Structure formats: structure tokens, C-alpha cells
Amino acid sequence: MSRRAPKKNVNRRSEQSGRSGKSGRMSDGSKVKAHRPVKNKNNINLSKQAQFTESKSDSVVLDAAFQKVQFFEVTEEDQGQRLDNFLMRFLRRAPKTFVYRIVRKGEVRVNKKRAKANQRLEVGDMVRVPPVRLAESTTVDETGIPQEELNLIDRCILFEDKDLMVINKPSGVAVHGGSGVRYGLIEVLRALRPLAKRLELVHRIDRDTSGCLLVAKKASVLKALHQQMREDKFEKRYLAITSHPWPEGVKRVDVPLQKIHLQDGGWHVKVSNEGKEALSFFRVKQSLKDMSLVEVKLKTGRTHQIRVHALSQGCALLGDDKYGDRELNKRYRKLGMKRLALHAQFLGFVHPATEERLLFEAPLWSDFERIIQELSIQ
């Protein structure tokens, strides 16, 4: 892959062991042809995909610097950043749920006023962070991450330069630590790149979903990419297997979705007129035995959008333990498909530094590839 790609879309082929990590150039110095089909090159033991472990609980101070109230002034580098992402930069060992909780309770203040997690900061804003004390079950010790898990994620890096990284996230790996998970993908990446001043998630995908995930290395890059997302300049395409044949003629699913919180602390998403606007486009790529392989293009990015939109058409996704058919899922576990059949296959955007239009493709993991072959109609 050359440093200067062609102006047209470039499909970054994933040779997990064949990238150098220097200036976005492949180790063999080769260029990649546009839209060339990508075979599975991961060669990763699938039993290692979801082993990010839970921890024991003991009370422990997060960081000596946060035993008292701290104040941070927003600089030009952080202008326009969301409050939650700004806080996660300083509270790196705190899970996302903890950060949202202290914001919701009003313990975090912006210019002496309560703020929402999605509030965008301006130059000169003063952010108050309260004293922080976490249980060990919610802290992350980056130096304690097993080497095999570091190696797994290192092999999942599709592309890396001085500005950003694109990862083919395994299914079963959370993007953040928290909710009983000691560490997630972002903590592992920070452990892999200890000299990086900043590593921030540009967007998120569900723990059960595999595929393309984008990470920024600079505040200016993060800000520019978020602006592209707001202007609908990101291209996201997913591959999924539906548990029933996709209904003929249905290409657009435009129904609002609402997140419902349950009394036991759990939650689920349902179709509701009281929910938020959600729009997905479905296209059948291949007819399978009593199922369909579909490509899904998102116009909005609601929680569990693809899963619930598919369910609304009577076609829950294969392997979906939350919304799908448990008996059907159990049957296909015997064939090696032990997780959600949803993969973020393509991710396109304009590189903020080079202004090149890039299109990355994350190869299918072997279990996903194998079940397609098993279900293919001969």
C-alpha cells in the first residue's frame, strides 16, 4: 500500500501479519487494487476471541491525582469534543458506565453548571472532575493484560499510520472495560501503544458484533472524523445472516427505535413511535438454506439498530441471544457459529490529514465464513 493512495476508493486488504504499521504502507510495499475481493486471512484461533476476562472486587483508589477535585481547561486541541470522550481521556482506567454515572449525577460540571455527556466543549470551558474511587472490578490494569490477548488484537490491526488505526474487532470483545469486563479493546490498544499520547474511539460497535472499528490518535483527527459522521460522510456496511429468508422487495426499513430500561437493571430495544428515528437499507447478497445473507447499510447509528430492524421484518439475526430464536441458535452452535452473525465489513471515510477517500474491508472471521459455506444452496 502506498502512502498516497489513488483518489478513488481504496480497499485496504487485511494481511494481518503483512502490515508494517509505518505510514500506512504494507510490509511488502505493494499497492492494493480498488474493491478487490478479500478472503479470510486472519488465521486466528477463534477460541481466543472472547476471553477478555472479569475481575475480582476490592476497593482501590483509581489514581492519586483524582483523590481530590480536579479542574481541566479546554484547549483548542479539544474544541468541539464531547464531554464523555473528554473525561475518558483523563479517566482511562474508568469504565464508560462510571463516566456516564458521575455526569448524570451532576458531579461533573462545565463552567460550574451541570452538563450532559454529549455536550460539546468550547475553548476556555472549565471542566470539574470529582474525586474518583473505584472498585477493582471496574479498574483496568493495562500491564496485566495477558500477552495472548495483546497478540490477538495486534493481529487485528488492518491499517495504522500516525493519525489513526482501523481494527477488525473480534466478536465477544467489548470496546471499553466495564460491566464486569476488566478491559476492552481500547485499553488493549493503549497497552500495545504505550507511547501514544492519545488513542480514542471514533465510533463504537456492539460487543457481539465483529468488524471495522476506527481509532483516532489525535484530538484534531477525532474532531474531523466526528464532523464527517455528523455530515453523513461515513460509509458503514454490514454483513448479516437472517434466521429466515429476507422478505422479497423489502429494501428500506424506516421505523423508530426506543431503548427500554428494565427493573432488573437490564435493557432492550424495541420499535416504538416514541423512539428515535432509525433508517437501514437491506440487500440480499445470497440466498441460503431457509436463511439469507444480507448486506446492511446504515443511515443512522442507533443501539442494536440492525438487530431490531431485522426482527421487525420477522428475520432476527442468527446467533442473536437477545432478540433471536434460542433453539435455532443452539442448533447452529454445533456447526461452530457460537456468536451473533453480524460483521461490520466495510468502513469508508476521508482521511483528515491526506484528504484521501478510503474504504476499508474487514475480512470475515473463519466461523462466519464457514457457516455461509455450510448454508449455501448447491
Side-chain angles (χ1 to χ4, degrees), residues 37-71:
V38 177
K39 300 298 183 181
N40 179 20
K41 298 292 183 180
N42 294 61
N43 296 324
I44 297 175
N45 186 345
L46 290 169
S47 66
K48 304 296 184 183
Q49 283 192 39
Q51 294 188 0
F52 284 21
T53 54
E54 300 181 1
S55 63
K56 301 176 182 178
S57 60
D58 274 311
S59 186
V60 40
V61 175
L62 174 68
D63 191 315
F66 288 92
Q67 293 183 40
K68 58 183 180 180
V69 173
Q70 298 286 305
F71 292 90

Side-chain angles (χ1 to χ4, degrees), residues 95-109:
K96 181 175 61 173
T97 52
F98 176 84
V99 172
Y100 286 130
R101 184 165 65 248
I102 61 175
V103 172
R104 187 172 61 251
K105 289 183 176 180
E107 297 178 41
V108 174
R109 300 275 174 150

Side-chain angles (χ1 to χ4, degrees), residues 201-305:
L201 292 165
V202 177
H203 62 110
R204 296 175 175 86
I205 56 177
D206 294 337
R207 179 177 180 174
D208 296 329
T209 304
S210 59
C212 285
L213 190 69
L214 182 58
V215 175
K217 293 185 174 183
K218 299 176 182 177
S220 58
V221 171
L222 181 68
K223 179 180 177 181
L225 291 169
H226 280 168
Q227 183 65 29
Q228 289 186 44
M229 293 177 70
R230 288 192 293 272
E231 295 175 354
D232 195 26
K233 293 181 179 179
F234 258 54
E235 180 178 356
K236 295 180 182 178
R237 282 185 279 156
Y238 292 72
L239 205 60
I241 299 176
T242 58
S243 57
H244 295 86
W246 187 255
E248 186 175 352
V250 176
K251 297 181 179 180
R252 176 189 174 109
V253 179
D254 185 4
V255 293
L257 300 177
Q258 182 180 23
K259 189 174 182 179
I260 305 297
H261 293 273
L262 307 176
Q263 291 184 346
D264 62 2
W267 56 271
H268 70 273
V269 176
K270 70 173 186 177
V271 173
S272 171
N273 290 330
E274 298 178 1
K276 296 180 179 180
E277 175 190 7
L279 175 60
S280 306
F281 294 92
F282 289 78
R283 181 172 69 90
V284 176
K285 293 206 64 170
Q286 184 179 340
S287 295
L288 304 174
K289 297 175 184 176
D290 301 320
M291 299 183 186
S292 294
L293 177 67
V294 296
E295 181 183 77
V296 189
K297 186 175 182 179
L298 294 183
K299 197 70 174 177
T300 54
R302 308 302 179 199
T303 302
H304 291 178
Q305 178 173 323

Side-chain angles (χ1 to χ4, degrees), residues 91-134:
L91 302 175
R92 284 192 169 189
R93 297 176 66 197
K96 181 175 61 173
T97 52
F98 176 84
V99 172
Y100 286 130
R101 184 165 65 248
I102 61 175
V103 172
R104 187 172 61 251
K105 289 183 176 180
E107 297 178 41
V108 174
R109 300 275 174 150
V110 177
N111 300 328
K112 299 182 179 180
K113 298 179 181 179
R114 294 178 71 108
K116 294 184 178 180
N118 63 355
Q119 177 175 324
R120 297 199 176 272
L121 301 174
E122 300 295 335
V123 174
D125 284 348
M126 192 63 68
V127 180
R128 175 196 184 273
V129 180
V132 174
R133 187 178 181 86
L134 300 175

